[in-house]
Amino acid sequence: MDHRYDIVIVGAGGGGLFAALEAVRTNPRVSVAVISKVYPTRSHTSAAQGGVNAALANKDKDDTVELHLFDTVKGSDYLADQDAVEYLCSQAPAVVRELENLGAPFSRFADGTIAQRPFGGTVKDRCCYCADKTGHTILHTLFEQCLRRGVTFFNEYFLLSLEHADGACQGVIALDMRTGAIETFVAPVVILATGGHAKMYWNRSSNAAGNTGDGQAAALRAGIPLKDMEFIQFHPTGLRKSGLLVTEGARGEGGYLLNRHGERFMARYAPQKMELGPRDLVARSMETEIIEGNGFESDAGSYLELDLRHLGAEAIRKKLPQIRELSMHFEGVDPVEEPIPVRPTAHYAMGGIDATMAKTAVRGVYAVGECACISVHGANRLGGNSLLDILVFGKLAGREAALEAPERNAHGITPAAVRRVADEIGSYTGHERYERYGIIREEMGKTMGDNVGIYRVEERLRKGVEELRALRERFRRIRLFDTGTVYNTNLIQILELKNMLDLALCVAVAALERQESRGSHYR
Amino acid sequence: MERREVSFRIYRYNPQADRTPFYDNFRIAVEKGITILRALNHIKEQLEPRLTFRAFCQAGICGSCAVRINGVSRLACTTQVWDLLTGSGDGPILIEPLGNLEVIRDLVVDINPIMEKLKRNYSWVRPAIPEEEMGRKEHLVSDGEFETINAASDCILCGSCYSECSMMGVNRRYISPPVLLKAFRMNNDTRDTLGCERLREVTADNGLWDCTHCHRCTEHCTKKIPIMDGIHRLREEAFERGMTQSEGARHARAFYDDIRDLGRLKEVTLPLRTKGMLGSLKMLPLALRMGLKGRRPPLLVKRIPQIERVREIYSRLEANRGER
């Protein structure tokens, strides 16, 4: 089936939905389609708990856009594009108010204004929040407003290819997961908003299973440059099996980090602050312990322990109920009785599709949110700036797209291009193929964690690059066991793995090339 | 870590290959602490790559992986295998797709009907602020106003309540609990201006008044949202707004009046008061069949002796409502 739209948005998280909403508000006559591999409310935006930064000055009356700008640039280890950061921070108050105006629930201060709380790396309390579900409520609000405006959704469509000709966007090719049909979406403007790629660390990632960088990989194959791929943010305490986050609060309340000798090893790394040292230092120390064999061994890999038992059942139940529930749900461990198995976990990708104020090198192709590198986070991102990033640049891209689309025409997508992707999918089922998805994916996650993790050493990075190259070679013989066309998740797994392998090699090579220590990248 | 071999019995159906659905059995070694989702992933990767299910965040916030586990709708990613085993038991643990929705394949169901119903019932805020003034200033909202909709805004649209709803089981066109919850959330948002239109849509046929108060939605909500409370509040609002002329509203009114006056229901005249003369005549065959089976409501209903105590409950409820 062939579709024609003025604007096609790939990805229905906060960035994609705000872009869609802004596009139809800017020009109600442009036709907009949003395609997404998951139903919009299931996008990873929902997992952002903390909040969104904006210098509303509801809490600290002397907070300003300039202070927010400075915090962000400093946090980025001075690698951010400062013009882009200025736009991000100056738009923040209006975009948060606008969301509020559109019905997003926010926690409130006694005077009825949006509540703000402190967040790491900022000099003022400027993080606006809705309990611990800020991303979830923002995502639902934007989805509701898109329903209100009659935005067209193609849910459970998987991006296969981004098409352009003569330096101008022609549209995308996507797979309808429900039928298995390959469909073309011809459009002079495409906005990529496909989310991050930190799932390439697999079990050592806090990300959703689908954060596989589909937009980034499609852009890369279409010849659009990626930028700053070496910068991956790690969080010290992820759960061992799932990588899900145990928030800093657990250590704030006095939790101990222990190795398999029962030692509070942080005494050797940060004798003063112990477990409460800076996030990247704690993560690095934990990684060192694991590499040196001081971790506990398990099927799910080596880990350390976060021990809360000495705080007492009462304190754990009262002050850390979420963490207790999380450990019980996802590790089957009650922290009142047993230590929580943890290890550092990949959390966020600062790098992505090279974009200047959301515009990429190809005319008509935009990129926003975690899949993009507009370079507002530089070498390290501040908490509360990722939701802000998707809102501000999602909105900007939506508006620009609505102004640009009517003036441009897409010629179409060639049958040869469609044949190419169809042939590739067809080739996965050959009987001479024997490599298994699960094994290659497991090895990819392991080599990324072991060799391209927090602590980056030339020798190990070289090993990582080598192993990833070998895995990509093995991927050429991967076997698709499910030959059906209806909702073939085995096929989706393979397509996602291909995207992750391509991007993982980018991350590893970029990490090898950057010989300095900068932000999240520690050499 | 404790390990055990556990059996899983999983619903399978691929419309391209299977004439009818069937159940597949798998036996795998699992470690304590493993969730149902991890077990499904293990089976898919090691034993049966064609096993089809949805999953995304793995953290209980996206709602993708809702399935029926041992007959109960819940999230696969937050359900521990160990919690489903009794003593030294080893299953089998039964895993099936959500109910009341069409199966696309195996454990994947079509959730478009939920999306369509959300759309039809104005499941969004229409703000009072004009478009050109957006983003200039915040509404001032008290913490109390936020608290009213706080729990309802936890909904992740996982579909568990939709699957468990007993009304959905007999009428697929029924509005459904998540859509009613959204309507409650919107109608109690002080920034919204669509209350009346939304409620009119929600109270139309197959709507608000068809809920049977079975409370299964609340019982099975994966986010522990008191969905029934929201439905009750919407019904009260319908009365407050004078939307009393629908069949459902008249039915509720008849209950309300009878219990207040007599302490019990006058069943014989209930159809007349709910459905009117013509509607009641249509029900005559049903009434006759019921009579033949021995179900004959008394023609005369006596007031219960302790009616004063019933009326005291009424006056307390009225006082409560006044306060709110």
Side-chain angles (χ1 to χ4, degrees):
Chain A
M1 198 169 165
D2 300 317
H3 309 267
R4 264 181 191 273
Y5 286 91
D6 294 321
I7 302 170
V8 166
I9 297 168
V10 189
L17 293 181
F18 213 146
L21 187 60
E22 190 63 16
V24 294
R25 285 156 92 194
T26 304
N27 182 355
R29 283 188 309 276
V30 295
S31 58
V32 179
V34 179
I35 76 177
S36 170
K37 68 176 174 180
V38 293
Y39 277 83
T41 57
R42 292 164 177 188
S43 309
H44 200 49
T45 299
S46 65
Q49 300 180 340
V52 47
N53 293 333
L56 295 175
N58 290 348
K59 172 76 186 304
D60 292 331
K61 302 298 175 196
D62 56 346
D63 193 16
T64 61
V65 166
E66 285 69 29
L67 287 172
H68 185 187
L69 201 170
F70 180 70
D71 284 341
T72 303
V73 171
K74 187 180 172 203
S76 79
D77 213 353
Y78 296 90
L79 207 69
D81 173 345
Q82 299 191 9
D83 293 335
V85 180
E86 186 181 14
Y87 184 78
L88 177 83
C89 298
S90 62
Q91 293 298 309
V95 86
V96 168
R97 283 191 203 111
E98 183 177 350
L99 262 184
E100 192 281 338
N101 293 168
L102 289 169
F106 280 99
S107 296
R108 299 284 170 161
F109 282 135
D111 65 357
T113 56
I114 295 172
Q116 295 185 287
R117 62 181 164 203
F119 236 59
T122 60
V123 294
K124 300 288 173 193
D125 296 358
R126 71 168 74 90
C127 188
C128 310
Y129 62 96
C130 176
D132 59 357
K133 54 177 176 183
T134 318
H136 161 80
T137 50
I138 287 176
L139 181 65
H140 277 251
T141 301
L142 289 170
F143 177 60
E144 288 152 13
Q145 291 300 317
C146 285
L147 286 183
R148 177 181 167 214
R149 301 279 179 169
V151 169
T152 306
F153 286 99
F154 291 87
N155 295 321
E156 305 199 314
Y157 273 66
F158 189 92
L159 174 67
L160 294 172
S161 159
L162 171 68
E163 297 296 323
H164 59 88
D166 308 323
C169 176
Q170 301 299 323
V172 300
I173 305 175
L175 177 83
D176 179 355
M177 290 163 61
R178 198 166 164 168
T179 62
I182 293 171
E183 303 184 3
T184 56
F185 291 79
V186 176
V189 176
V190 167
I191 301 174
L192 296 170
T194 56
H197 52 256
K199 195 61 188 174
M200 61 173 65
Y201 290 80
W202 204 254
N203 284 330
R204 307 197 56 179
S205 168
S206 67
N207 286 194
N211 282 22
T212 53
D214 306 334
Q216 296 88 308
L220 180 67
R221 281 178 213 124
I224 299 177
L226 306 180
K227 186 165 73 182
D228 289 353
M229 291 299 281
E230 64 274 32
F231 296 115
I232 303 278
Q233 188 177 69
F234 286 83
H235 193 285
T237 50
L239 290 179
R240 166 196 50 168
K241 290 195 192 114
S242 53
L244 294 176
L245 288 195
V246 177
T247 71
E248 227 150 82
R251 282 169 291 134
E253 293 294 338
Y256 296 154
L257 286 170
L258 303 174
N259 62 20
R260 74 183 165 94
H261 313 297
E263 179 202 4
R264 278 180 79 188
F265 57 85
M266 282 310 296
R268 282 186 274 117
Y269 302 92
Q272 303 290 314
K273 293 195 160 176
M274 299 292 283
E275 283 84 357
L276 285 174
R279 212 183 254 194
D280 52 339
L281 174 68
V282 177
R284 279 200 298 276
S285 310
M286 292 173 71
E287 190 67 8
T288 308
E289 288 296 300
I290 289 172
I291 289 170
E292 290 179 353
N294 295 328
F296 299 83
E297 295 301 325
S298 78
D299 286 0
S302 319
Y303 65 97
L304 297 159
E305 287 184 342
L306 175 62
D307 196 350
L308 305 179
R309 290 174 299 179
H310 57 285
L311 303 178
E314 174 82 7
I316 295 174
R317 287 203 185 97
K318 254 202 183 133
K319 293 184 187 163
L320 303 167
Q322 299 277 6
I323 289 169
R324 180 162 179 252
E325 197 173 305
L326 204 74
S327 338
M328 287 168 47
H329 273 157
F330 299 107
E331 290 285 343
V333 163
D334 182 351
V336 171
E337 285 154 16
E338 290 172 79
I340 310 171
V342 292
R343 63 179 162 185
T345 185
H347 184 49
Y348 186 86
M350 271 72 71
I353 303 163
D354 182 18
T356 306
M357 299 302 277
K359 284 186 175 159
T360 72
V362 170
R363 245 183 310 129
V365 177
Y366 293 73
V368 298
E370 197 177 340
C371 80
C373 182
I374 296 172
S375 210
V376 286
H377 309 304
N380 215 347
R381 176 182 64 80
L382 288 190
N385 267 0
S386 57
L387 283 178
L388 182 61
D389 176 16
I390 62 175
L391 298 173
V392 167
F393 290 104
K395 183 175 158 123
L396 174 71
R399 188 172 59 240
E400 298 276 315
L403 298 173
E404 183 181 356
E407 292 174 3
R408 293 257 310 282
N409 231 322
H411 308 297
I413 293 170
T414 62
V418 178
R419 216 174 308 122
R420 200 166 50 238
V421 294
D423 285 351
E424 190 193 320
I425 289 174
S427 74
Y428 292 134
T429 47
H431 282 285
E432 70 290 357
R433 293 170 161 264
Y434 53 86
E435 291 286 357
R436 292 183 76 104
Y437 158 81
I439 293 168
I440 296 184
R441 191 211 63 211
E442 226 35 50
E443 289 184 22
M444 171 192 68
K446 186 158 178 2
T447 193
M448 287 306 287
D450 291 350
N451 302 312
V452 200
I454 307 172
Y455 210 55
R456 293 173 173 180
V457 186
E458 181 173 341
E459 193 186 329
R460 262 192 246 125
L461 288 168
R462 286 194 190 285
K463 186 161 174 254
V465 170
E466 227 169 81
E467 289 183 1
L468 287 166
R469 289 215 163 102
L471 286 174
R472 276 161 50 95
E473 201 49 44
R474 282 168 61 189
F475 179 87
R476 293 155 62 102
R477 295 182 297 273
I478 201 162
R479 172 82 180 270
L480 171 66
F481 289 91
D482 189 340
T483 53
T485 53
V486 173
Y487 217 94
N488 187 337
T489 46
N490 192 201
L491 173 61
I492 299 299
Q493 284 180 321
I494 286 172
L495 295 170
E496 289 179 335
L497 178 61
K498 181 180 171 218
N499 290 342
M500 285 191 287
L501 281 171
D502 285 358
L503 298 174
L505 185 61
C506 296
V507 172
V509 169
L512 181 63
E513 291 301 317
R514 187 177 289 274
Q515 285 157 14
E516 61 167 352
S517 285
R518 176 80 77 139
S520 66
H521 176 74
Y522 192 85
R523 284 289 293 256
Chain B
M1 259 312 161
E2 205 183 332
R3 285 177 82 89
R4 199 183 290 181
E5 290 233 329
V6 177
S7 298
F8 293 85
R9 190 167 164 74
I10 304 177
Y11 178 101
R12 303 295 306 274
Y13 176 62
N14 177 359
Q16 285 182 309
D18 309 318
R19 197 139 10 112
T20 53
F22 64 101
Y23 287 85
D24 229 348
N25 295 301
F26 301 97
R27 195 166 170 83
I28 56 170
V30 289
E31 197 178 86
K32 189 184 168 205
I34 290 293
T35 60
I36 293 289
L37 177 57
R38 285 189 86 86
L40 288 174
N41 276 326
H42 180 91
I43 293 167
K44 184 170 178 68
E45 280 169 30
Q46 305 294 331
L47 304 171
E48 169 53 310
R50 284 162 296 206
L51 179 63
T52 303
F53 51 92
R54 287 193 183 103
F56 197 65
C57 79
Q58 316 155 93
I61 187 68
C62 82
S64 299
C65 67
V67 288
R68 274 185 302 159
I69 302 169
N70 286 345
V72 178
S73 305
R74 39 203 306 197
L75 299 178
C77 77
T78 59
T79 304
Q80 285 286 323
V81 171
W82 239 246
D83 292 349
L84 302 167
L85 305 173
T86 45
S88 59
D90 62 350
I93 294 170
L94 180 65
I95 302 179
E96 298 166 292
L98 289 182
N100 299 327
L101 293 159
E102 295 302 324
V103 173
I104 295 175
R105 183 173 172 184
D106 292 352
L107 303 174
V108 174
V109 293
D110 181 9
I111 61 167
N112 280 336
I114 305 180
M115 300 295 146
E116 290 306 316
K117 288 172 186 177
L118 284 171
K119 208 167 165 178
R120 193 179 327 130
N121 289 280
Y122 305 103
S123 304
W124 50 79
V125 163
R126 187 180 68 189
I129 296 180
E131 199 63 26
E132 58 281 7
E133 283 171 33
M134 283 277 162
R136 292 204 191 142
K137 58 174 197 268
E138 305 169 25
H139 293 94
L140 295 182
V141 177
S142 74
D143 205 44
E145 289 170 280
F146 167 70
E147 274 310 316
T148 309
I149 59 164
N150 188 7
S153 67
D154 282 349
C155 175
I156 56 174
L157 295 176
C158 69
S160 287
C161 58
Y162 198 97
S163 162
E164 294 290 332
C165 172
S166 43
M167 194 61 212
M168 279 308 309
V170 292
N171 179 10
R172 292 278 173 103
R173 283 155 68 201
Y174 173 55
I175 185 168
S176 83
V179 181
L180 287 172
L181 182 70
K182 274 276 189 207
F184 161 79
R185 178 250 173 272
M186 299 304 163
N187 268 34
N188 288 275
D189 192 319
T190 45
R191 299 165 296 182
D192 174 62
T193 62
L194 258 179
C196 209
E197 284 137 285
R198 186 179 300 112
L199 200 58
R200 204 170 295 132
E201 188 62 41
V202 165
T203 52
D205 285 355
N206 306 309
L208 175 66
W209 294 107
D210 285 7
C211 164
T212 62
H213 302 252
C214 72
H215 283 259
R216 289 173 65 92
C217 52
T218 301
E219 263 171 53
H220 297 289
C221 176
T222 56
K223 301 306 268 185
K224 302 193 176 77
I225 305 168
I227 303 172
M228 252 338 282
D229 292 357
I231 296 175
H232 283 143
R233 179 68 204 115
L234 280 175
R235 288 184 166 188
E236 286 174 9
E237 190 188 337
F239 272 93
E240 286 159 14
R241 288 186 187 267
M243 297 179 180
T244 53
Q245 284 320 301
S246 66
E247 240 176 53
R250 286 199 301 264
H251 194 66
R253 184 83 226 178
F255 270 69
Y256 181 91
D257 290 345
D258 281 2
I259 304 298
R260 183 195 53 207
D261 297 342
L262 303 168
R264 52 168 55 137
L265 197 60
K266 280 191 288 188
E267 275 186 82
V268 174
T269 58
L270 194 59
L272 193 65
R273 287 179 290 164
T274 301
K275 291 180 172 288
M277 187 62 88
L278 207 65
S280 302
L281 282 176
K282 279 188 196 150
M283 288 185 71
L284 217 51
L286 177 69
L288 288 173
R289 282 203 305 277
M290 282 168 70
L292 285 173
K293 298 247 174 189
R295 177 123 164 77
R296 300 185 194 95
L299 290 175
L300 282 175
V301 180
K302 268 199 283 184
R303 179 179 295 163
I304 62 164
Q306 312 92 324
I307 188 69
E308 285 313 316
R309 294 176 64 187
V310 171
R311 291 191 183 151
E312 197 188 320
I313 296 173
Y314 270 65
S315 58
R316 279 204 209 162
L317 285 172
E318 290 297 335
N320 265 345
R321 187 149 50 155
E323 271 169 36
R324 194 167 53 214

